[in-house]
Amino acid sequence: MSFEILRKETITHCDTHFLNLVNYKWIQDNSWKENNPNVLFKDLYFLLKIKKDEYLKLRVERTLIAY
């Protein structure tokens, strides 16, 4: 998979409860399920912890690459 950053934004810890969080392993295991209505990749974000209660939220676009 390849990712391109579309937008950056800083959020606080209390804003993270609005997000549907999954880990990278989940993305790897479910990326092939594009046509499954239970798995949506409409908006995909990465979170990077900056400080104790502050995160950098990166909106990314995902590309599947076949080898």
Side-chain angles (χ1 to χ4, degrees), residues 4-33:
E4 178 183 346
I5 297 173
L6 302 176
R7 187 177 66 213
K8 297 178 184 179
E9 165 183 2
T10 303
I11 63 172
T12 60
H13 176 72
C14 60
D15 292 331
T16 60
H17 73 278
F18 293 114
L19 304 174
N20 183 11
L21 299 174
V22 297
N23 62 17
Y24 185 74
K25 175 82 169 118
W26 184 91
I27 294 171
Q28 287 178 319
D29 292 344
N30 293 285
S31 288
W32 61 274
K33 299 178 183 177

Side-chain angles (χ1 to χ4, degrees), residues 2-64:
S2 173
F3 298 94
E4 178 183 346
I5 297 173
L6 302 176
R7 187 177 66 213
K8 297 178 184 179
E9 165 183 2
T10 303
I11 63 172
T12 60
H13 176 72
C14 60
D15 292 331
T16 60
H17 73 278
F18 293 114
L19 304 174
N20 183 11
L21 299 174
V22 297
N23 62 17
Y24 185 74
K25 175 82 169 118
W26 184 91
I27 294 171
Q28 287 178 319
D29 292 344
N30 293 285
S31 288
W32 61 274
K33 299 178 183 177
E34 283 293 324
N35 295 324
N36 183 342
N38 296 321
V39 180
L40 300 176
F41 288 100
K42 181 180 175 189
D43 294 324
L44 185 61
Y45 297 90
F46 286 135
L47 291 179
L48 176 65
K49 190 170 189 173
I50 301 172
K51 297 177 185 171
K52 182 180 178 185
D53 290 328
E54 191 173 347
Y55 295 85
L56 181 62
K57 182 171 82 170
L58 305 171
R59 182 170 183 199
V60 296
E61 182 177 83
R62 176 185 50 92
T63 304
L64 296 176

